[in-house]
Amino acid sequence: MKTQMKMFEPKIELIYVESVIGSGYESKVAELASIDKIAYRAARANMQKHSAIILLLDDEFSGFFTFEVNHNVKEFCLLQSAMYPDKKDKKIYSMMVQKIIDQNTYGYHMIMTVSKKHDLENPKVFKELGFKVNLEKSEFVYMYYGTEEQVRVKRLCHMAMTNLWNSTSGEWLKIKREWNNKLEEAGEKYNIPNPKFASREGCWQGKAGMSNVVLSKQKVVDGEILTDKSKDLNGNASVLDPAVCEIIVRMFMPKNGCRVYNPFGGGVQMGFVAGGCGYEYLSSEIRQNQCDANNALCQDFYNVKWLKSDTSKFTPKQNYDLIFSCPPYYKVETYLDYDGNPPVGELNSYPTYEQFRDMLFEGYKNAISVMNDNTFFVVMTGDSRNKDGGYYGSDAEHELFFKQQGLHIYNKIIYLESEFTRRATAKKTLNSRKYPKCEQRIYVFYKGDTNKIKDLYPNIGRL
């Protein structure tokens, strides 16, 4: 059925008001907001303090669109919109949005949460006006007008909004894939094979690793069973998740900060991400082969460097704005240098857990000594089991150690990994009542006055 063409177009007025309160339209906005099932919040006084575009059709109040200009965060946040049912028109609604865009003479990004089910406040309407999708969650879509970099932190915050970080979610995997693709490009450019696992061949559980058992495939050739172990995840070597690195470096770097120090460097991920986000990075790493591979992969970044050194004896010459480390878990992996042996002083080569722990904490002490005031020290760690099957208690000792050094235990985050291989492991371990771990801990410690965090760290704005 065709829609009958209007014989006369209405007179359209779009009036900008700095605040609904005091504009003379308070009661009309409240009345329409109460009728509308989505924009009902605009009837509240604490919402009417915001700016708005008032729609008049043939001199009659017919709709509104409220928005907030936040100069502190440098953003326009589009809030609530509504039109009377008999006045709804996509073209006129789009004109209201465009009028808000016209108010943005500052170059700020603009954000709006829309619904796929709404007749006007939907992704299609906003895409036609130049908005882009930042994140999709079921029926809701978070959109922005500007550059992706301007809203990157919001995307990360939606991924990791509580202290449970699920690394298996679709959005998380997208971010992880983005960074891994960049790493692959750097590896190809500088001839570093398998850059995610550079210098980490078979360092964890070797060819008997559980992921190899689960992912390998068998076939029969001339009566002989052959096993394809090409999916053994590089000998089951563990590598740091670059999505974790980006969340940490963006969330825990102060406004005026620029330098990251990693006292137990290991793989390339944090340095690559820090450099990619525009920060300087120094890492103390005891293996020369790891230093060489990482430095080659990151040579396009300014001042990103791995320095061969024994962290328990090394102290950087300058202060840092963020300390991050994902140190070894005792006796879980082996770390070999060019000669096929662990370097002298490599943590996992110590014969007892107590020696491992003491040298680890010495490195932490050296790092704490070069922390600027009011900065964070983030440790991604996990416990391991001793020969009797019990845990060493490394997590608890981390908390006590940093508290004894005068730092606040500020966040305890659980990093959730895939349960796939852990479930396979459980078939072997549950008879001994051992539950396989599918998480790691991220401890966020803070040195200084916690009351200053809101002032010294960037405001995230509306989420």
Side-chain angles (χ1 to χ4, degrees):
M1 180 177 177
K2 294 184 178 180
T3 303
Q4 183 173 334
M5 184 180 294
K6 297 178 182 177
M7 184 170 293
F8 300 103
E9 291 294 331
K11 174 186 174 184
I12 303 172
E13 290 183 80
L14 298 169
I15 303 170
Y16 162 73
V17 295
E18 187 174 353
S19 171
V20 174
I21 296 174
S23 68
Y25 292 101
E26 297 94 332
S27 61
K28 293 183 181 295
V29 168
E31 179 183 297
L32 176 54
S34 299
I35 295 171
D36 190 276
K37 294 181 179 180
I38 304 298
Y40 64 91
R41 289 183 298 169
R44 300 173 183 170
N46 66 338
M47 293 298 291
Q48 290 205 354
K49 66 182 180 181
H50 298 302
S51 304
I53 299 300
I54 304 298
L55 170 66
L56 302 183
L57 297 178
D58 293 329
D59 299 321
E60 290 186 0
F61 175 83
S62 301
F64 67 87
F65 205 132
T66 59
F67 62 97
E68 177 186 18
V69 185
N70 189 327
H71 292 292
N72 184 28
V73 183
K74 295 182 171 55
E75 74 178 10
F76 268 59
C77 183
L78 283 67
L79 301 172
Q80 303 290 323
S81 64
M83 295 177 68
Y84 281 108
D86 61 332
K87 304 289 186 182
K88 284 186 175 181
D89 182 288
K90 176 185 170 183
K91 180 180 177 181
I92 295 175
Y93 180 85
S94 297
M95 291 172 66
M96 282 201 293
V97 180
Q98 185 61 54
K99 186 72 172 180
I100 297 176
I101 294 174
D102 293 342
Q103 307 306 309
N104 185 8
T105 59
Y106 312 99
Y108 296 168
H109 65 271
M110 311 179 78
I111 58 173
M112 179 67 186
T113 303
V114 299
S115 170
K116 297 176 183 178
K117 297 181 179 180
H118 200 281
D119 50 356
L120 293 174
E121 207 171 87
N122 63 60
K124 184 178 179 181
V125 170
F126 281 81
K127 281 181 180 178
E128 290 175 355
L129 290 165
F131 281 74
K132 301 171 188 174
V133 175
N134 193 28
L135 186 69
E136 289 192 44
K137 285 196 173 183
S138 61
E139 70 175 85
F140 294 102
V141 181
Y142 298 87
M143 305 192 73
Y144 69 96
Y145 187 100
T147 66
E148 181 184 349
E149 181 65 23
Q150 289 175 305
V151 293
R152 182 75 173 186
V153 171
K154 292 181 186 294
R155 184 179 178 188
L156 298 174
C157 286
H158 278 287
M159 285 167 41
M161 194 167 278
T162 70
N163 75 327
L164 180 61
W165 293 6
N166 183 3
S167 69
T168 65
S169 69
E171 186 61 29
W172 190 289
L173 294 174
K174 285 180 186 178
I175 298 289
K176 185 176 180 178
R177 196 177 303 116
E178 287 175 10
W179 283 110
N180 283 337
N181 288 341
K182 292 177 181 178
L183 261 176
E184 292 293 338
E185 291 171 4
E188 184 176 351
K189 182 177 180 180
Y190 294 111
N191 196 30
I192 303 295
N194 206 2
K196 286 189 296 181
F197 298 93
S199 80
R200 301 293 304 285
E201 293 84 358
C203 69
W204 178 33
Q205 299 181 18
K207 298 299 180 182
M210 204 60 215
S211 60
N212 183 48
V213 173
V214 173
L215 297 177
S216 62
K217 295 181 179 179
Q218 289 77 35
K219 60 183 179 180
V220 179
V221 178
D222 297 330
E224 182 181 358
I225 300 175
L226 302 179
T227 301
D228 175 11
K229 297 183 178 181
S230 61
K231 292 188 176 182
D232 67 358
L233 302 184
N234 201 69
N236 301 301
S238 66
V239 294
L240 186 56
D241 184 337
V244 163
C245 297
E246 184 177 4
I247 295 170
I248 289 171
V249 79
R250 290 189 185 273
M251 287 299 294
F252 299 113
M253 178 67 74
K255 292 177 185 176
N256 299 321
C258 67
R259 289 198 287 264
V260 183
Y261 174 55
N262 187 340
F264 295 96
V268 72
Q269 280 74 15
M270 177 51 93
F272 192 88
V273 170
C277 292
Y279 297 119
E280 299 178 26
Y281 179 85
L282 177 67
S283 174
S284 172
E285 166 56 45
I286 201 164
R287 291 182 302 132
Q288 187 66 59
N289 61 349
Q290 187 75 75
C291 291
D292 293 344
N294 293 351
N295 286 328
L297 286 165
C298 293
Q299 60 187 285
D300 288 340
F301 300 128
Y302 167 73
N303 215 357
V304 172
K305 184 178 181 180
W306 280 258
L307 182 66
K308 184 184 184 313
S309 55
D310 181 343
T311 301
S312 66
K313 302 174 183 176
F314 172 76
T315 303
K317 295 179 181 179
Q318 58 185 352
N319 282 9
Y320 286 82
D321 308 300
L322 170 63
I323 311 292
F324 168 81
S325 194
C326 184
Y329 303 170
Y330 185 58
K331 293 301 183 184
V332 170
E333 299 182 327
T334 57
Y335 299 90
L336 310 178
D337 215 327
Y338 284 119
D339 61 1
N341 297 305
V344 176
E346 194 281 311
L347 290 176
N348 264 337
S349 64
Y350 285 107
T352 69
Y353 166 75
E354 288 71 24
Q355 288 173 290
F356 163 89
R357 177 202 60 205
D358 291 346
M359 291 300 99
L360 178 68
F361 287 178
E362 281 300 312
Y364 286 163
K365 285 180 183 178
N366 294 336
I368 291 171
S369 72
V370 294
M371 290 178 70
N372 282 321
D373 289 337
N374 302 306
T375 56
F376 289 99
F377 194 130
V378 183
V379 180
M380 188 170 183
T381 188
D383 214 339
S384 55
R385 295 180 184 271
N386 59 34
K387 64 181 179 179
D388 297 319
Y391 282 110
Y392 287 106
S394 177
D395 291 349
E397 291 196 292
H398 268 76
E399 291 188 44
L400 291 173
F401 167 79
F402 278 94
K403 190 171 183 179
Q404 289 166 356
Q405 302 305 308
L407 277 67
H408 302 277
I409 305 172
Y410 203 69
N411 287 307
K412 301 180 186 181
I413 297 166
I414 297 172
Y415 170 80
L416 185 64
E417 301 171 299
S418 172
E419 293 183 78
F420 178 60
T421 55
R422 307 307 194 277
R423 288 181 181 273
T425 305
K427 294 176 182 179
K428 291 186 174 182
T429 63
L430 286 185
N431 283 330
S432 300
R433 299 306 189 264
K434 291 179 183 177
Y435 285 86
K437 289 180 52 159
C438 60
E439 44 77 27
Q440 297 179 59
R441 297 301 176 97
I442 301 174
Y443 289 106
V444 181
F445 304 104
Y446 183 77
K447 175 186 177 183
D449 184 352
T450 56
N451 293 319
K452 294 183 178 180
I453 293 175
K454 286 185 177 181
D455 297 326
L456 297 176
Y457 288 77
N459 191 318
I460 296 166
R462 285 185 180 267
L463 292 172

